[in-house]
Amino acid sequence: MPTLVTDAKFFNCTQSRELAEKIAAAYGSKLGNVITSTYSDGEFQPSFEESVRGARVFIIGSTHPGADHLMEMLLMLDAAKRASARHITAVMPYFGWARQDRKDKPRVPIAAKMIASILETAGATRIITMDLHADQIQGFFEKPVDHLFASTVFLPYLRKLNLSNLTIASPDMGGSKRAYAYSKALESDVVICYKQRVKANVISHMELIGNVEGRNVVLVDDMVDTAGTLTKAADLMMERGALSVRAICTHPVLSGEAYERVEKSKLQELIVTDSIPLKKESRKIKVVSCADLFADVMNRVHNNRSISSKFIM
């Protein structure tokens, strides 16, 4: 008996409309019709305005705080499940709350695990995401997770820069594995920053492990939030004799005074994806789209083809 291949339909959460349109266009399709009604007290209700019965549904939306972004994804998953969609894939370029992936002190939640469970309860039968804060978050899910790497889009960009004396750097110890992977792909040296925090987003001390004198440095991280670590690392490396410092960060959270810090820092360029829409423009921030990567993987998933070729790292 031939394998049944159902129709694929694409829908977006409100915050990811622009990226979803790019993904659908790269796939060769269009976004489906979904509307969101909002009550005066802030409660909202998404509604699919077309049939999804028997279809493979891709719901595209990053879940960066506030909580409304996550809530919208959950409501859309539930609506698709109750509308008898055959397969429901939550496409989450940025998986929010991922920094809470363990108990780092008593009486705190493991939010990443809780959200994984809620997504599955809401109706997700598959998750597609990119550059999780910690790889082991995949293990919090019982359903299949396709964990993509932004290196697929960043490495071609870095190679086009044709930087001599290239050194890859991690802004903290936790990102050393990612930095080593990039350095292997680019055949470059690697250095690591060691930092101590007073509290979340506040660094008391930073030291550099390795030599950057006379080198063009590229810092690599999964996200940039307040940009405190990133800009401090860039300034430290320039003080230690680096020729230039760039940074590639997959998810541009960019909260608080991040834009101002980036502008005032010694960073020559900050390269990010469009997993989260920028709040404003900056002359130092370059956006490289991840739409083609997601469209290709979604096409392969829909047609039951391997996606292993998309994993550069």
Side-chain angles (χ1 to χ4, degrees):
M1 230 179 135
T3 303
L4 176 64
V5 179
T6 60
D7 293 335
K9 296 198 173 189
F10 305 85
F11 299 93
N12 68 285
C13 295
T14 306
Q15 73 279 7
S16 297
R17 173 88 190 181
E18 185 175 347
L19 176 57
E21 287 177 339
K22 292 179 183 177
I23 292 173
Y27 190 98
S29 184
K30 294 182 179 180
L31 291 178
N33 187 15
V34 60
I35 61 171
T36 301
S37 304
T38 304
Y39 297 91
S40 62
D41 65 351
E43 180 183 341
F44 55 90
Q45 179 189 61
S47 170
F48 295 104
E49 296 299 298
E50 60 187 76
S51 175
V52 296
R53 185 177 297 273
R56 183 187 291 277
V57 172
F58 292 99
I59 301 174
I60 304 166
S62 289
T63 55
H64 48 291
D68 280 358
H69 298 152
L70 173 61
M71 191 66 189
E72 185 178 12
M73 171 63 77
L74 295 172
L75 292 175
M76 291 185 69
L77 290 170
D78 186 70
K81 176 179 68 176
R82 296 178 188 279
S84 301
R86 187 180 182 88
H87 304 284
I88 307 169
T89 302
V91 182
M92 306 167 68
Y94 174 65
F95 182 86
W97 317 91
R99 284 174 283 191
Q100 299 180 55
D101 61 347
R102 66 195 184 282
K103 287 187 69 173
D104 56 356
K105 64 179 183 179
R107 298 176 296 280
V108 296
I110 304 178
K113 166 58 179 170
M114 180 192 70
I115 289 169
S117 299
I118 294 172
L119 287 165
E120 292 176 336
T121 300
T125 59
R126 189 179 202 94
I127 308 293
I128 301 178
T129 189
M130 179 173 65
D131 277 4
L132 289 166
H133 190 61
D135 290 350
Q136 62 267 25
I137 290 174
Q138 297 170 77
F140 292 164
F141 291 89
E142 299 300 323
K143 305 295 184 183
V145 177
D146 296 313
H147 180 211
L148 311 182
F149 296 125
S151 54
T152 307
V153 296
F154 283 143
L155 284 174
Y157 181 87
L158 289 176
R159 290 187 176 114
K160 285 181 181 178
L161 293 176
N162 197 28
L163 296 172
S164 60
N165 299 321
L166 177 63
T167 293
I168 299 297
S170 172
D172 54 37
M173 300 296 287
S176 58
K177 180 182 175 183
R178 182 179 293 106
Y180 278 116
Y182 273 86
S183 68
K184 183 178 179 181
L186 295 166
E187 299 180 340
S188 67
D189 294 337
V190 63
V191 298
I192 300 171
C193 292
Y194 171 74
K195 66 182 179 184
Q196 292 180 327
R197 293 188 187 274
V198 178
K199 58 182 180 179
N201 298 128
V202 180
I203 301 167
S204 62
H205 181 69
M206 178 177 282
E207 283 295 336
L208 182 63
I209 303 172
N211 180 34
V212 295
E213 186 173 357
R215 312 293 294 183
N216 289 300
V217 180
V218 177
L219 284 154
V220 179
D221 210 350
D222 65 306
M223 71 169 71
V224 51
D225 186 357
T226 64
T229 298
L230 203 65
T231 54
K232 192 174 183 69
D235 293 346
L236 176 62
M237 289 173 184
M238 291 300 291
E239 289 171 9
R240 298 290 175 88
L243 295 177
S244 68
V245 182
R246 291 172 173 83
I248 55 175
C249 298
T250 306
H251 308 297
V253 179
L254 294 170
S255 65
E257 298 178 358
Y259 285 91
E260 289 74 17
R261 287 194 180 102
V262 169
E263 287 293 331
K264 294 176 182 177
S265 75
K266 294 179 181 177
L267 275 173
Q268 185 166 325
E269 188 177 31
L270 170 60
I271 307 120
V272 299
T273 74
D274 49 358
S275 63
I276 300 173
L278 294 182
K279 299 180 183 73
K280 59 182 179 180
E281 297 295 323
S282 169
R283 63 183 178 86
K284 285 191 175 184
I285 300 177
K286 164 73 175 178
V287 179
V288 180
S289 182
C290 57
D292 288 346
L293 171 62
F294 275 92
D296 189 14
V297 169
M298 289 157 69
N299 184 282
R300 289 166 183 263
V301 167
H302 179 54
N303 291 287
N304 302 311
R305 292 160 49 210
S306 171
I307 66 170
S308 59
S309 64
K310 309 310 294 183
F311 295 103
I312 291 180
M313 288 166 50

